[in-house]
């Protein structure tokens, strides 16, 4: 559980990867993002139904500053009658020389780094071993995630967080007590579009609510 301390009343966090977008069709990672596909909105309607069926009442929907996340958040906020907000602290990890490239492009232009990324995606190395030129320093990325979670606690409202894969892995890793140092356990977490994870703050940390969440593979 997350080690952030607060005196606020218990609250829920729903972590959601954005709905299916054009960049997913292109197998493109990082970059500036893209619009959602038509199928995405059917998936988002199912997310709304899950919230209602699980009696999850969302007050705020916050998202990464990428088009696929903003479109996902805006749609869900309207359906859930919640406030929508795009936050710079939730910007994705910058992947350096691989940022915005498809798998095929990365393999052609930067074969060594692309193969290292594939090793990470298979869960065979931790993030400290994923060395990509010009990438955002992982300790700064991790600190940004901790700062964001602290700010959420200060607001005290039930919040849905719509992010890219890197943002969801970041927040889940912090909530699970992992760190970016060697041996800290920060690895790839397989996440499908519109995956749904719920945590509730109890006492001194967040506890994973297994019954209302997707089955985790972390």
């Amino acid at each position: 559980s997350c080690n952030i301390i607060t005196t606020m009343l218990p609250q829920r966090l729903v972590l959601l990867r954005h709905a299916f977008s054009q960049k997913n069709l292109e197998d493109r990672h990082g970059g500036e993002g893209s619009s959602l596909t038509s199928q995405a909105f059917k998936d988002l309607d199912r997310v709304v139904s899950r919230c209602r069926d699980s009696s999850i009442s969302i007050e705020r929907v916050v998202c990464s500053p990428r088009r696929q996340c903003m479109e996902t958040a805006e749609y869900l906020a309207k359906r859930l009658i919640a406030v929508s907000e795009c936050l710079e602290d939730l910007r994705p990890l910058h992947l350096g020389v691989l940022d915005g490239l498809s798998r095929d492009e990365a393999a052609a232009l930067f074969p060594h780094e692309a193969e290292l990324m594939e090793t990470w995606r298979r869960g065979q190395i931790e993030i400290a071993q994923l060395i990509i030129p010009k990438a955002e320093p992982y300790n700064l990325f991790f600190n940004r995630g901790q700062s964001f979670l602290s700010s959420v606690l200060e607001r005290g409202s039930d919040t849905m967080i719509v992010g890219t894969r890197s943002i969801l892995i970041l927040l889940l890793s912090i909530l699970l007590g992992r760190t970016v140092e060697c041996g800290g356990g920060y690895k790839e977490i397989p996440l499908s579009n519109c995956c749904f994870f719920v945590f509730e703050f109890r006492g001194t940390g967040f506890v994973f609510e297994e019954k209302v969440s997707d089955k985790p593979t972390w």
Side-chain angles (χ1 to χ4, degrees):
S1 61
C2 185
N3 61 357
I4 300 171
I5 307 299
T6 184
T7 57
M8 303 299 296
L9 293 175
Q11 62 185 294
R12 274 174 159 174
L13 293 182
V14 177
L15 274 62
L16 184 84
R17 188 182 176 199
H18 62 81
F20 198 77
S21 68
Q22 182 64 31
K23 71 189 297 289
N24 297 124
L25 281 174
E26 298 170 0
D27 201 11
R28 196 171 297 279
H29 306 277
E32 293 305 309
S34 63
S35 59
L36 300 181
T37 65
S38 57
Q39 172 63 34
F41 298 99
K42 296 178 182 178
D43 296 334
L44 291 175
D45 286 338
R46 286 193 284 270
V47 171
V48 173
S49 296
R50 288 189 67 173
C51 288
R52 291 173 177 166
D53 292 345
S54 302
S55 299
I56 297 174
S57 180
I58 298 297
E59 299 170 52
R60 298 173 66 222
V61 181
V62 298
C63 70
S64 298
R66 295 294 182 268
R67 186 171 179 179
Q68 68 272 19
C69 298
M70 293 186 286
E71 290 184 6
T72 297
E74 289 168 4
Y75 186 83
L76 289 173
K78 288 179 181 177
R79 294 294 313 278
L80 296 170
I81 314 178
V83 176
S84 177
E85 186 177 4
C86 180
L87 299 177
E88 185 62 23
D89 275 352
L90 289 176
R91 66 187 181 278
L93 175 69
H94 192 279
L95 296 174
V97 297
L98 301 183
D99 202 61
L101 300 181
S102 69
R103 265 191 169 92
D104 289 344
E105 290 168 343
L109 295 171
F110 304 99
H112 173 72
E113 289 79 7
E115 178 55 35
L116 198 60
M117 178 64 79
E118 293 304 318
T119 305
W120 151 265
R121 288 175 178 143
R122 291 192 294 268
Q124 296 173 333
I125 61 173
E126 295 187 15
I127 198 167
Q129 300 166 287
L130 180 60
I131 302 171
I132 302 174
K134 301 182 180 180
E136 179 178 3
Y138 300 133
N139 63 321
L140 298 183
F141 183 56
F142 190 82
N143 291 343
R144 182 150 57 84
Q146 288 186 311
S147 175
F148 166 75
L149 285 176
S150 294
S151 69
V152 168
L153 285 171
E154 290 171 2
R155 294 287 292 267
S157 57
D158 289 351
T159 302
M160 176 178 285
I161 302 164
V162 177
T164 61
R165 180 165 59 179
S166 69
I167 284 294
L168 256 66
I169 292 173
L170 169 68
L171 299 179
L172 285 169
S173 296
I174 294 172
L175 292 168
L176 294 170
R178 300 175 182 177
T179 69
V180 293
E181 288 78 25
C182 285
Y186 194 118
K187 293 184 178 182
E188 165 79 332
I189 298 175
L191 299 169
S192 59
N193 294 95
C194 287
C195 58
F196 191 90
F197 301 111
V198 183
F199 288 79
E200 184 178 57
F201 191 85
R202 300 177 189 169
T204 59
F206 280 104
V207 177
F208 179 61
E209 292 195 65
E210 186 173 1
K211 291 183 179 180
V212 294
S213 302
D214 287 331
K215 184 178 180 181
T217 54
W218 53 56

